[in-house]
Amino acid sequence: MCVNDRRSRPSARALCWFACALLTLFALGCSGARSEQRRVEGDAYLEAGRVADALGAYELALTADAANARAHLGRSRVFLAQGDAETAIDAARQAYTLDPSLERAYQIEATALLEEGRFDDALQTAQALESVDAAAGVALRAVVQRERDSLHE
């Protein structure tokens, strides 16, 4: 076989396809890393009490990767801190739908539901957590029941 044989070299189309595939994989990896970086920034802002900056960072994280469950969790924490229970509930649900192991998302949803006086819904959230983590779900159910009982005394 001759070294200059055209059959042994990839076509320009194949090289172009390969380059595009590599660039796409690289871009996907970068957007995930960028999303996680923004999420971490949001957590830091929230811990520092800079709620508006935290929300902005979480929104940027979700722009880079809409499936970043921890960014949705961060948003739920922001909305709960702002007193926006309904939006906190929605964001918490998005978080645990993407990552059912996020115990904190269930807790935030239950807290927001309790703030609205929706005890039965909060108990359902605790039961949903029980299906993922029995001990954490039982603990959350106990908190919800204690809150409900304290209002009826």
Side-chain angles (χ1 to χ4, degrees), residues 1 11 14 36 42 47 57 64-65 67 79 112 124 128 141-142 144-145:
M1 177 182 228
S11 69
E36 189 57 18
E47 293 302 318
D65 179 8
F79 293 126
Q124 288 178 345
R141 186 165 29 94
V144 171
Q145 288 172 332

Side-chain angles (χ1 to χ4, degrees), residues 96 100-107 123-141:
Y96 71 68
S101 71
L102 286 177
E103 177 184 331
R104 186 72 179 120
Y106 297 92
Q107 293 169 343
L123 282 172
Q124 288 178 345
T125 299
Q127 289 171 338
L129 178 56
E130 275 184 75
S131 69
V132 176
D133 182 336
V138 168
L140 183 57
R141 186 165 29 94

Side-chain angles (χ1 to χ4, degrees), residues 45-66:
Y45 285 135
L46 192 56
E47 293 302 318
R50 296 173 56 185
V51 178
D53 291 332
L55 182 58
Y58 293 134
E59 296 293 344
L60 288 172
L62 292 170
T63 299
D65 179 8

Side-chain angles (χ1 to χ4, degrees), residues 1-150:
M1 177 182 228
C2 181
V3 175
N4 290 329
D5 188 357
R6 283 182 54 89
R7 289 175 288 161
S8 67
R9 291 185 305 174
S11 69
R13 176 180 274 164
L15 286 174
C16 182
W17 182 89
F18 182 73
C20 287
L22 282 177
L23 286 173
T24 300
L25 288 173
F26 179 74
L28 289 174
C30 287
S31 67
R34 190 169 40 252
S35 177
E36 189 57 18
Q37 178 185 1
R38 296 294 187 196
R39 196 269 311 163
V40 169
E41 289 173 7
D43 289 349
Y45 285 135
L46 192 56
E47 293 302 318
R50 296 173 56 185
V51 178
D53 291 332
L55 182 58
Y58 293 134
E59 296 293 344
L60 288 172
L62 292 170
T63 299
D65 179 8
N68 186 331
R70 292 189 179 278
H72 286 288
L73 175 63
R75 286 179 69 242
S76 72
R77 293 171 58 207
V78 166
F79 293 126
L80 187 62
Q82 292 176 332
D84 185 352
E86 273 306 311
T87 309
I89 291 165
D90 291 341
R93 285 181 181 158
Q94 288 175 317
Y96 71 68
T97 298
L98 290 166
D99 183 355
S101 71
L102 286 177
E103 177 184 331
R104 186 72 179 120
Y106 297 92
Q107 293 169 343
I108 289 171
E109 180 182 9
T111 300
L113 289 165
L114 288 172
E115 285 184 5
E116 293 194 326
R118 295 167 54 186
F119 298 101
D120 291 339
D121 293 336
L123 282 172
Q124 288 178 345
T125 299
Q127 289 171 338
L129 178 56
E130 275 184 75
S131 69
V132 176
D133 182 336
V138 168
L140 183 57
R141 186 165 29 94
V143 168
V144 171
Q145 288 172 332
R146 188 174 57 242
E147 286 291 319
R148 182 184 62 194
D149 294 344
S150 72

